[in-house]
Amino acid sequence: MSTSHKKGNPFKFELKQVVISLGLGLSLLSASGAAIAQDIKIALIAGKTGALEPYAKETETGFMMGLEYLTAGKMEVNGKKIKVIIKDDQSKPDMGRALLAEAYGDDKVDIAVGTTSSGSALAMLPVAEEYKKILIVEPAVADAITGDKWNRYIFRTSRNSMQDALAAASTIKAGGSIAFLSQDNAFGRDAIKAAKEALTMAGSKAKVVHEEFSAQNTTDFTAPAQRIFDALKNKPEPRILQIVWAGPSPMNKLADLKPERFGINLAPGGNILPVMKLWKSYAGTQGTIYYYYDFPKNKMNDWLVAEHTKRFKAPPDFFTAGGFAAASAVYTALNKAKSTNTEKLITAMEGMEFDTPKGKMNFRKEDHQALQTMYHFKIKKDQKNEWDILELVREIPVSDIPVPVKNKR
């Protein structure tokens, strides 16, 4: 007893330990609670300044509407709020690269999405690898993005040049002669290279007789058109001038030069609604497109068309659907991975299927390219309103678009 008394209360140290342990436990719980409450940060980078501004704005609208739809307006996933940080790279590669580094480094975003220009997107790819963070490419299309410039942090929801080309080639399997007109930039040259390869893959008997590349800001197409007409006019029919152009389309200016004098038919690629509504006088002209609001029949697209029309007095467009698809990829990946950890996200996203306004897409494991349907259209003769432009000829399934894997993984 006396010994115990001299040593004092034997429980004092133990009690102190309990208090310290409880304090530590509360601190850990507090830290854990803070982590749980932490926002999920997503950077959306787009070329909102310059020639591709309309595309960028549509992408942003579609992305935000996609998150709204998928989260039932709560803007959260796995109990965490979603915060979107929007940046304008002005379609400049150096700016795109710098803004992505800023997003990963300073803003501490978990995932990035972008961008509009293929040149800027290509400049961003090494940044994703450097920071070991996911970059979902939307809407840039250059094949090199999921080809020889690809790395394992890159996923793409937008179609690539080869998907565009294979869809178009599937409609031109007979003989005849083809000339191409595109932009003298990464997008244009990539697109024409893919188009020629796609014709061979599709078993088309048509022969490519001319390739014409013009600056994106060209306003007078008289000289380029004359070179194209001279190359095509004495070649076997059908004679097709395929136009692959991002931004304001030169189709009307080419049509004004009367290519029909030489038996030449114009074959435009799909474009945004404000551009296509100027094509009303070309009823019967056919082409292929990534998305047109009236073609897909599914619940997600029904909501997008109804809600977009209600809010903006016009149906959703080409790039609106693309932005929505990117949002769906982000949401589905976060839900599946239950984490923002990059490695867990990559595991979840490889081979991942997700819903979009176009229907289901899936990220091919080999190169992370989203496989998706495309559409063969004809310009309507009888149009009910300014947006009633295209008639569906055929939905082109993934099986008809055998995109080769070119990333040498």
Side-chain angles (χ1 to χ4, degrees):
M1 289 291 292
S2 59
T3 307
S4 296
H5 179 72
K6 286 180 181 178
K7 290 184 178 179
N9 188 339
F11 299 107
K12 279 188 177 180
F13 178 70
E14 294 177 81
L15 184 60
K16 190 175 180 180
Q17 275 188 314
V18 171
V19 172
I20 292 171
S21 297
L22 282 171
L24 180 61
L26 288 170
S27 298
L28 289 170
L29 282 170
S30 176
S32 175
I36 290 171
Q38 187 178 1
D39 292 339
I40 292 173
K41 293 183 181 180
I42 303 164
L44 177 62
I45 301 174
K48 296 177 66 174
T49 303
L52 303 181
E53 177 187 356
Y55 297 180
K57 287 184 174 179
E58 288 183 9
T59 301
E60 181 182 337
T61 296
F63 189 76
M64 299 308 294
M65 289 186 74
L67 290 177
E68 177 188 346
Y69 175 86
L70 292 157
T71 65
K74 295 179 181 179
M75 293 298 284
E76 63 179 41
V77 59
N78 299 331
K80 297 183 181 181
K81 287 291 182 183
I82 299 171
K83 181 180 180 181
V84 180
I85 300 169
I86 297 170
K87 298 176 182 286
D88 176 14
D89 68 359
Q90 300 179 27
S91 295
K92 297 176 180 177
D94 56 341
M95 189 171 289
R97 183 169 52 245
L99 288 177
L100 185 59
E102 177 183 85
Y104 289 143
D106 297 340
D107 300 325
K108 308 295 183 187
V109 301
D110 301 294
I111 298 174
V113 177
T115 182
T116 318
S117 155
S118 285
S120 186
L122 285 164
M124 290 162 62
L125 305 187
V127 180
E129 187 171 32
E130 178 186 348
Y131 283 87
K132 294 180 169 55
K133 290 282 189 178
I134 299 292
L135 171 63
I136 295 177
V137 177
E138 175 65 47
V141 301
D143 280 339
I145 293 167
T146 43
D148 62 342
K149 303 299 183 185
W150 175 89
N151 63 68
R152 65 190 296 268
Y153 303 98
I154 306 305
F155 290 79
R156 173 158 53 186
T157 48
S158 65
R159 87 286 185 213
N160 62 18
S161 292
M162 183 55 77
Q163 283 169 309
D164 274 346
L166 285 166
S170 73
T171 70
I172 312 172
K173 290 191 176 181
S177 308
I178 298 176
F180 292 105
L181 171 65
S182 194
Q183 293 155 302
D184 192 7
N185 57 21
F187 161 78
R189 293 194 173 274
D190 196 72
I192 302 312
K193 179 183 177 184
K196 293 192 296 181
E197 185 178 345
L199 286 169
T200 301
M201 290 177 63
S204 174
K205 296 179 181 179
K207 184 178 179 181
V208 177
V209 299
H210 188 74
E211 301 167 39
E212 186 74 29
F213 296 96
S214 299
Q216 187 171 2
N217 61 356
T218 300
T219 56
D220 184 355
F221 285 88
T222 305
Q226 192 59 56
R227 288 191 289 271
I228 294 168
F229 295 168
D230 286 345
L232 274 174
K233 63 184 181 183
N234 294 318
K235 297 297 188 294
E237 294 183 322
R239 301 174 188 133
I240 299 169
L241 168 52
Q242 192 160 0
I243 306 164
V244 185
W245 203 270
S249 173
M251 180 168 162
N252 285 342
K253 292 180 179 180
L254 290 165
D256 289 343
L257 297 170
K258 302 189 182 303
E260 65 274 11
R261 291 176 295 154
F262 307 105
I264 298 170
N265 299 308
L266 300 181
N271 212 309
I272 57 176
L273 292 171
V275 172
M276 292 196 300
K277 75 176 185 178
L278 302 176
W279 300 351
K280 290 189 175 185
S281 57
Y282 310 115
T285 299
Q286 298 187 35
T288 52
I289 194 168
Y290 164 84
Y291 171 87
Y292 176 68
Y293 72 93
D294 194 44
F295 290 170
K297 304 301 179 186
N298 59 70
K299 185 178 177 181
M300 186 176 281
N301 192 57
D302 290 347
W303 180 89
L304 176 59
V305 172
E307 198 61 31
H308 193 281
T309 303
K310 177 182 174 182
R311 297 180 192 184
F312 303 103
K313 312 303 178 189
D317 212 340
F318 197 112
F319 294 93
T320 320
F324 200 120
S328 182
V330 169
Y331 179 82
T332 305
L334 290 168
N335 244 334
K336 188 177 178 184
K338 304 297 181 189
S339 172
T340 56
N341 175 272
T342 298
E343 291 304 317
K344 290 182 179 179
L345 284 170
I346 291 174
T347 299
M349 293 172 76
E350 289 191 336
M352 183 182 81
E353 185 176 82
F354 53 102
D355 291 318
T356 80
K358 292 177 59 175
K360 291 190 181 299
M361 293 185 188
N362 70 78
F363 285 127
R364 183 164 57 181
K365 187 173 182 179
E366 291 84 355
D367 60 1
H368 303 173
Q369 172 63 50
L371 303 182
Q372 55 198 281
T373 57
M374 300 284 277
Y375 305 94
H376 178 186
F377 71 80
K378 180 166 63 176
I379 298 175
K380 283 186 174 183
K381 181 178 181 180
D382 299 316
Q383 300 177 4
K384 299 174 185 176
N385 57 59
E386 64 178 331
W387 308 123
D388 183 31
I389 304 164
L390 305 182
E391 175 184 335
L392 179 64
V393 175
R394 183 174 76 101
E395 184 174 289
I396 306 170
V398 171
S399 58
D400 284 6
I401 311 174
V403 184
V405 176
K406 292 189 173 182
N407 64 345
K408 299 177 182 178
R409 184 171 185 173

